[in-house]
Amino acid sequence: QVQLVESGGGLVQAGGSLRLSCAASRRTLSSYGMGWFRQAPGKEREFVAAISGSGVSTYYADSVKGRVTISRDNAKNTMYLQMNSLKPEDTAVYYCALDFGVAGSTRAYTYNYWGQGTQVTVSS
């Protein structure tokens, strides 16, 4: 199995920044697409960003495009989500996920492994 562990969440004021990390146990990480999703209280889990195995291709939800950057360092078995200009609407539990497909995907059901989540809270 693949284990994913998120970190970097916390409390930040509106307009601030956070950098989330996702460490994976899989060493051949370049073979797998990865993504970030989030879930706020009372809402469904929604797509945030995705990245292909090589890191060349990236995808963003319209709600975060221009404010977040997804990246990965396969040598360190780690994926990142840099978030800037944070808004209270960004408050949610953020999950990283790994897909057996190499291209990356915006759809949650295509992902095979999920982390436990990290809380991001943005105060107004």
Side-chain angles (χ1 to χ4, degrees):
Q1 63 176 16
V2 178
Q3 293 181 319
L4 303 172
V5 180
E6 302 97 333
S7 62
L11 176 64
V12 65
Q13 290 182 280
S17 299
L18 285 173
R19 190 192 193 199
L20 306 184
S21 298
C22 175
S25 62
R26 181 72 66 176
R27 297 192 66 177
T28 56
L29 203 59
S30 63
S31 297
Y32 308 100
M34 298 183 73
W36 289 96
F37 292 77
R38 67 187 183 186
Q39 188 166 20
K43 296 185 177 180
E44 297 181 347
R45 186 171 298 185
E46 67 175 349
F47 167 76
V48 178
I51 189 167
S52 62
S54 67
V56 171
S57 300
T58 58
Y59 311 88
Y60 297 96
D62 289 341
S63 60
V64 301
K65 191 173 184 179
R67 299 190 296 118
V68 310
T69 302
I70 189 171
S71 62
R72 64 194 298 163
D73 186 339
N74 290 335
K76 296 181 179 179
N77 299 328
T78 304
M79 176 181 65
Y80 306 95
L81 186 71
Q82 177 67 47
M83 303 190 293
N84 303 317
S85 301
L86 284 164
K87 305 174 181 179
E89 303 91 272
D90 296 318
T91 296
V93 177
Y94 284 70
Y95 299 90
C96 68
L98 182 145
D99 182 9
F100 285 154
V102 71
S105 174
T106 64
R107 300 180 178 181
Y109 66 78
T110 67
Y111 287 86
N112 295 276
Y113 292 95
W114 296 82
Q116 82 290 343
T118 185
Q119 177 70 49
V120 171
T121 302
V122 184
S123 61
S124 60

